[in-house]
Amino acid sequence: MTKHQATAETPRAAAILARFLSSEAAGGLVLMAAALAALIVANSPLSESYFALLHTVWSGLSVEHWVNDGLMAIFFLMVGLEIKREVLAGGLSTWGQRALPGVAAVGGMVVPALIYIAINWGNPKTMSGWAIPAATDIAFALGVLSLLGKRVPISLKVFLAALAIIDDLGAVVIIAFFYTSGLSMPMLLASLTTLVILIAMNRLGVRRLFPYLLVGVVLWFFVLQSGVHATLAGVALALCIPMGTPEEEARSPLLFLEEKLHSWVAFAIVPIFGFANAGVSLAGISMENLVDPVPLGVALGLLVGKQVGVFLSAALAIRTGLAKVPEGSNWLQLYGVALLCGIGFTMSLFIGNLAFPGSPQLIDEVKVGVLIGSILAAIGGVVVLRTSSILAGAAVAK
């Protein structure tokens, strides 16, 4: 990586970010529809067929497994491409640009986890879910933000996107270190060997995408069999695909693949995941169940932990001079975005499946907590941001 490459925001990368914000917002609306459809189907006469379909086995894996380990590997490939592009030639290419979303993301992961741990303290069966409320769903959050239109300055949308990308990176690290078990050393060594081949291809200047994707499929298979979660193969592959220098961006394999994948991920893969994972039967769930440790810890972690962690961390970074308030925004708007960070749908459900494998009851409790926390955070964020817009309009009128 050259210094110029690391600090220059290229026109094409900037254009990709603009398309990313618009398509991610639209994709978030599709995801909302998919999640609502899953809830309706799971509580209708079609529920038996819905759950039977998810557990149908095809080529050795259930449909649910193919969605969560197969399709989501492509989602994580997209996440890895976004992270690499933003770090090399985008909104995270300098330490100054990384400061505010980076500090806010860390606070937004630590505080929700601490709230969950405090509520589940002394219960070893449920403590493994501590990371569930630590992740922000970028598509869902930007989808809600898009409903406010021009009431929200573009700088806040970029801040939210950057924060969620760093948040995703944190989630990847958490999955790699805390949700890996039963390692197969032969398959792990095969995975590492395949990864070395991908790195060598990058170093040798291989620019064609097909060899990377072919070796990436092999890497996914080895990782799936190794005990490390298969989706991490997508991130590893993304980091090996060459970005190129700003002068070469018209032929950049990374930018080309990101452009081609983004619509598929936003409008197909993530909604399919949402439909397959948001379905929870509400039969038998009472108000008393809502205050069980898992749903309560997840819901409060998302609703309270996220807003407190993100806002206070961002405020600390701004007050100490480490960062500045996003251009054209104010403190109330920043707080509204911090509330929206409590929408943890996709990654929270994903981590919930990893935290409680083989425990349908706890996974259902996770779903309930994620849905309640995310919905309340979305409503709270919209109310605060609309109030901020009304106050700003009144101030201008005076």
Side-chain angles (χ1 to χ4, degrees), residues 329-342:
S329 66
N330 56 46
W331 285 100
L332 188 57
Q333 289 174 321
L334 187 62
Y335 174 63
V337 170
L339 264 166
L340 291 183
C341 288

Side-chain angles (χ1 to χ4, degrees), residues 244-293:
T245 63
E247 294 77 13
E248 301 171 317
E249 74 161 16
R251 296 177 288 110
S252 168
L254 185 146
L255 296 180
F256 176 82
L257 181 60
E258 185 179 359
E259 286 180 285
K260 295 301 181 184
L261 279 181
H262 206 282
S263 292
W264 285 101
V265 170
F267 298 108
I269 290 174
V270 171
I272 288 172
F273 172 84
F275 184 76
N277 287 273
V280 55
S281 175
L282 301 178
I285 294 179
S286 65
M287 291 300 294
E288 293 179 356
N289 298 131
L290 299 182
V291 294
D292 285 344

Side-chain angles (χ1 to χ4, degrees), residues 197-209 211-212 240-244 248 251 253:
I197 292 172
L198 285 168
I199 294 172
M201 289 166 57
N202 181 293
R203 295 295 184 182
L204 292 172
V206 176
R207 305 281 294 178
R208 293 183 59 205
L209 270 174
Y212 287 99
C240 293
I241 293 176
M243 168 81 174
E248 301 171 317
R251 296 177 288 110

Side-chain angles (χ1 to χ4, degrees), residues 54 76 84 137 158 165 298:
L54 292 178
F76 274 84
K84 184 171 181 177
D137 189 305
V158 172
I165 288 171
V298 171

